C-alpha cells in the first residue's frame, strides 16, 4: 500500500508562487503509477489540476492552470512536484495528490484514483 504525503502549501499573495511536493512512503515499492494533483475549495467538488504518468512523458493540465502550473516527478526520490506560479485567489484550495489511476477514464475523475494523501492547504490573498 502506497502512502502519500503532500507538503509545500502556504499562504501567498496574488501573483506569488509555491511548490508542492507529494512524497510516497519509504515502504512503498515505488510511485510507479501515474500521479495526479487535485484541489478542493470549500463547497466545491474536487477537481483535477494536473497528472503525470510514471515515465514523466505524458502530462495533462486543467485548462484553468495550464501555463502557470508545472507537474514533474523524481522517481528516485519517489516524489512528484507541482510548481505553481502567478497564483490567483481562485487557486486557493486544499491540494491533494493521488495515485493508483486506473486508466479507465478521464484523468480528471478523482474516482479513478485509489490512493490519496491528506492534503496541503494553499491560500492566495488578493
Amino acid at each position: 500500500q502506497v502512502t502519500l504525503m503532500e507538503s509545500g502549501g502556504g499562504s501567498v499573495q496574488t501573483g506569488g508562487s509555491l511548490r508542492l511536493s507529494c512524497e510516497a512512503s519509504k515502504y512503498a515499492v515505488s510511485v510507479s503509477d501515474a500521479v495526479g494533483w487535485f484541489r478542493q475549495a470549500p463547497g466545491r467538488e474536487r477537481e483535477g489540476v494536473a497528472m503525470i504518468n510514471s515515465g514523466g512523458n505524458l502530462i495533462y493540465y486543467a485548462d484553468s492552470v495550464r501555463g502557470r502550473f508545472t507537474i514533474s516527478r523524481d522517481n528516485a526520490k519517489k516524489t512528484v512536484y507541482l510548481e505553481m506560479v502567478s497564483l490567483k485567489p481562485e487557486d486557493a484550495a486544499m491540494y491533494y495528490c493521488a495515485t493508483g489511476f486506473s486508466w479507465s477514464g478521464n484523468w480528471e475523475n478523482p474516482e479513478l484514483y485509489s490512493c490519496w494523501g491528506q492534503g496541503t492547504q494553499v491560500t492566495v490573498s488578493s
Side-chain angles (χ1 to χ4, degrees), residues 25 47 55 79 87 97 112 118:
S25 66
E47 63 172 343
T79 302
L87 283 163
C97 61
L112 300 182
Q118 294 301 305

Side-chain angles (χ1 to χ4, degrees), residues 13 38 70 77-78 89 108 112 124:
Q13 292 186 329
F38 289 77
T70 302
K77 295 183 178 179
K78 299 179 181 178
E108 296 175 280
L112 300 182
V124 184

Side-chain angles (χ1 to χ4, degrees), residues 17-41:
S17 302
L18 286 171
R19 188 175 81 155
L20 306 184
S21 298
C22 171
E23 184 175 1
S25 66
K26 62 179 180 179
Y27 299 109
V29 174
S30 68
V31 184
S32 58
D33 203 346
V35 174
W37 279 100
F38 289 77
R39 64 187 181 188
Q40 188 167 19

Side-chain angles (χ1 to χ4, degrees), residues 53-76:
N53 72 337
S54 58
N57 60 332
L58 186 62
I59 290 174
Y60 299 100
Y61 293 104
D63 290 343
S64 60
V65 307
R66 187 175 291 110
R68 299 187 298 120
F69 290 12
T70 302
I71 190 171
S72 63
R73 68 190 297 159
D74 184 336
N75 285 344

Side-chain angles (χ1 to χ4, degrees), residues 6-21 37-42 49 65 68-69 82-97 118-125:
E6 304 92 339
S7 62
S11 182
V12 297
Q13 292 186 329
T14 297
S17 302
L18 286 171
R19 188 175 81 155
L20 306 184
S21 298
W37 279 100
F38 289 77
R39 64 187 181 188
Q40 188 167 19
V49 174
V65 307
R68 299 187 298 120
F69 290 12
L82 185 68
E83 188 80 35
M84 307 185 295
V85 301
S86 301
L87 283 163
K88 305 175 182 180
E90 52 263 42
D91 294 318
M94 185 71 79
Y95 281 71
Y96 301 89
C97 61
Q118 294 301 305
T120 185
Q121 182 69 45
V122 171
T123 303
V124 184
S125 57

